[in-house]
């Protein structure tokens, strides 16, 4: 009933910038935290950044100072502005959201998008 769709991934050169977007749709009552994770080839999925419903953000040490997470609650959308990209930023980026859906009895669950590829060339 709820879907997360990422967009904005692509191919960029080192030092470049990219902005990812993730829009949630469906029978949404409210969205708590939203975040971005990534998975590089041969590695485990890792947290990149998380932002709460009241706009408090946290970042992985590897991206601090380079990435900025933001959200538009009216649009149920979370963004990840990536600057000064490095080859090690390459991977599939996944959107994640803690969502309360509209149903007879409200249900809170963790949802994932299908991912968007980010490739940074050296």
């Amino acid at each position: 009933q709820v879907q997360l769709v990422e967009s904005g991934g692509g191919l960029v050169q080192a030092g470049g910038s990219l902005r990812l977007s993730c829009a949630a749709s469906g029978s949404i009552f409210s969205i708590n935290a939203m975040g971005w994770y990534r998975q590089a080839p041969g590695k485990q999925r890792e947290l990149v950044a998380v932002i709460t419903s009241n706009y408090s953000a946290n970042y992985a040490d590897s991206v601090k100072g380079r990435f900025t997470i933001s959200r538009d609650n009216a649009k149920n959308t979370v963004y990840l502005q990536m600057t000064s990209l490095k080859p090690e930023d390459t991977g599939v980026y996944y959107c994640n959201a803690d969502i309360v859906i509209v149903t007879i009895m409200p249900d809170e669950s963790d949802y994932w998008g299908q991912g968007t590829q980010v490739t940074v060339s050296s």
Side-chain angles (χ1 to χ4, degrees), residues 13-97:
Q13 293 185 1
S17 300
L18 210 59
R19 190 173 91 145
L20 306 182
S21 298
C22 173
S25 62
S27 301
I28 300 171
F29 176 76
S30 64
I31 301 178
N32 301 132
M34 301 185 79
W36 290 94
Y37 292 73
R38 69 185 180 190
Q39 187 166 19
K43 293 187 177 181
Q44 299 275 16
R45 186 176 299 185
E46 64 176 350
L47 174 68
V48 175
V50 173
I51 185 167
T52 67
S53 60
N54 59 347
Y55 311 103
S56 177
N58 287 292
Y59 302 88
D61 289 339
S62 60
V63 306
K64 285 182 178 178
R66 300 188 298 118
F67 292 8
T68 301
I69 188 170
S70 61
R71 65 189 288 169
D72 185 336
N73 290 336
K75 296 181 178 180
N76 290 331
T77 300
V78 63
Y79 307 92
L80 185 67
Q81 179 66 52
M82 305 184 292
T83 62
S84 301
L85 284 163
K86 305 175 180 179
E88 50 261 47
D89 293 319
T90 293
V92 178
Y93 283 68
Y94 298 90
C95 176
N96 173 262

Side-chain angles (χ1 to χ4, degrees), residues 1-4 24-34 53 71-76 97-109 111:
Q1 198 70 13
V2 173
Q3 183 176 218
L4 299 180
S25 62
S27 301
I28 300 171
F29 176 76
S30 64
I31 301 178
N32 301 132
M34 301 185 79
S53 60
R71 65 189 288 169
D72 185 336
N73 290 336
K75 296 181 178 180
N76 290 331
D98 180 17
I99 298 175
V100 178
I101 65 171
V102 177
T103 184
I104 295 178
M105 293 294 291
D107 183 56
E108 181 179 348
S109 299
Y111 293 86

